[in-house]
Amino acid sequence: MPWRGEGALLLLSAASGAADAFVFLCVGQVFAGVMTGNLVLLGASATGAGESGVALKVAVALGAYFCGAAAGALLAGRLGLRVPVLLGAEVVLLGAAAVLWGLELVSSYGDRLGLLALVAVAMGVQGRVRVTPTNYFTGTLTSLAGRVALRELRGGDGWVLGRLAAVVAGAAVAALAERWWSPGAALGALVPAAGALVLETAPLRGGGPRPDKGKPRPDRGNPAGAA
């Protein structure tokens, strides 16, 4: 994959970390993209652990993410739309969330659930953008650990480490924004997602088409060990 494609994946990974940190801190005890974590929270909440209302938040996140991933699969698979269209849809959703939060229009519990749904749908769409995962990384880390143990590192493993670092950086930026300038907390996810869209749509020097511009994520699940 060209460096711009890898750069877009780095930015999407940062957007994922920022989106999850923003939702966890501002909506409370729930994630927008890490559905494994949400399932764990759902099980814990069934025993009375955690904040009240967590189960409803998790249900909203799971349903919204499912709808986003399903919509992304239909757009990419059945309609054959290109990656920039999916990223454009994600940016619009994250932009709407950033406006609502930045203008302090999210005041009630219901408003927060709606905000959660917007961001989770965006993360679901992002999950269908490419085969390489950018919003869940257990398989990525497991695969990398195996290659390190077997001394079978590949040339692209630097990018793999970069994606893992980008998640941490994105979450840190969102958390700092929430602490020091709360109205801008949602921008931590919007800005890198918009940057990824720019990388995916900007023409190469010389006017040639991007090599894999027209290859959205196939309509299949991500392999557990995908790097």
Side-chain angles (χ1 to χ4, degrees), residues 7-19 87 90-91 94 123 126 166 169-171 173-174 185-200:
L9 293 178
L10 285 179
L11 290 171
L12 289 176
S13 299
S16 174
L87 287 177
E90 177 184 354
V91 168
L94 291 176
M123 290 298 100
Q126 179 175 310
V173 168
L187 295 176
L190 174 61
V191 171
L197 176 60
V198 170
L199 284 180
E200 289 285 354

Side-chain angles (χ1 to χ4, degrees), residues 150-181:
L150 297 174
R151 298 182 181 179
E152 296 177 352
L153 290 174
R154 303 190 299 225
D157 282 335
W159 290 107
V160 175
L161 286 171
R163 289 197 296 275
L164 295 172
V167 177
V168 177
V173 168
L176 287 173
E178 193 277 332
R179 178 181 297 178
W180 299 109
W181 184 48

Side-chain angles (χ1 to χ4, degrees), residues 20 28 36 48 51 86 96 116 128 156 224:
D20 275 321
T36 302
E51 297 178 356
L86 300 184
L116 167 62
R128 302 299 309 187

Side-chain angles (χ1 to χ4, degrees), residues 31-195:
F31 299 104
V34 183
M35 293 302 111
T36 302
N38 281 339
L39 291 171
V40 172
L41 292 174
L42 184 62
S45 67
T47 68
E51 297 178 356
S52 61
V54 170
L56 178 58
K57 295 175 188 176
V58 170
V60 169
L62 288 169
Y65 185 93
F66 182 93
C67 289
L74 287 173
L75 291 174
R78 183 162 297 180
L79 300 181
L81 298 180
R82 295 170 180 260
V83 165
V85 176
L86 300 184
L87 287 177
E90 177 184 354
V91 168
V92 169
L93 291 166
L94 291 176
V99 169
L100 290 172
W101 184 258
L103 296 180
E104 299 182 347
L105 300 177
V106 181
S107 56
S108 68
Y109 182 77
D111 292 340
R112 289 178 185 271
L113 290 180
L115 180 71
L116 167 62
L118 274 176
V119 182
V121 170
M123 290 298 100
V125 172
Q126 179 175 310
R128 302 299 309 187
V129 169
R130 296 230 180 255
V131 173
T132 303
T134 56
N135 53 8
Y136 46 94
F137 294 89
T138 302
T140 300
L141 187 59
T142 301
S143 183
L144 179 62
R147 293 196 295 275
V148 169
L150 297 174
R151 298 182 181 179
E152 296 177 352
L153 290 174
R154 303 190 299 225
D157 282 335
W159 290 107
V160 175
L161 286 171
R163 289 197 296 275
L164 295 172
V167 177
V168 177
V173 168
L176 287 173
E178 193 277 332
R179 178 181 297 178
W180 299 109
W181 184 48
S182 182
L187 295 176
L190 174 61
V191 171

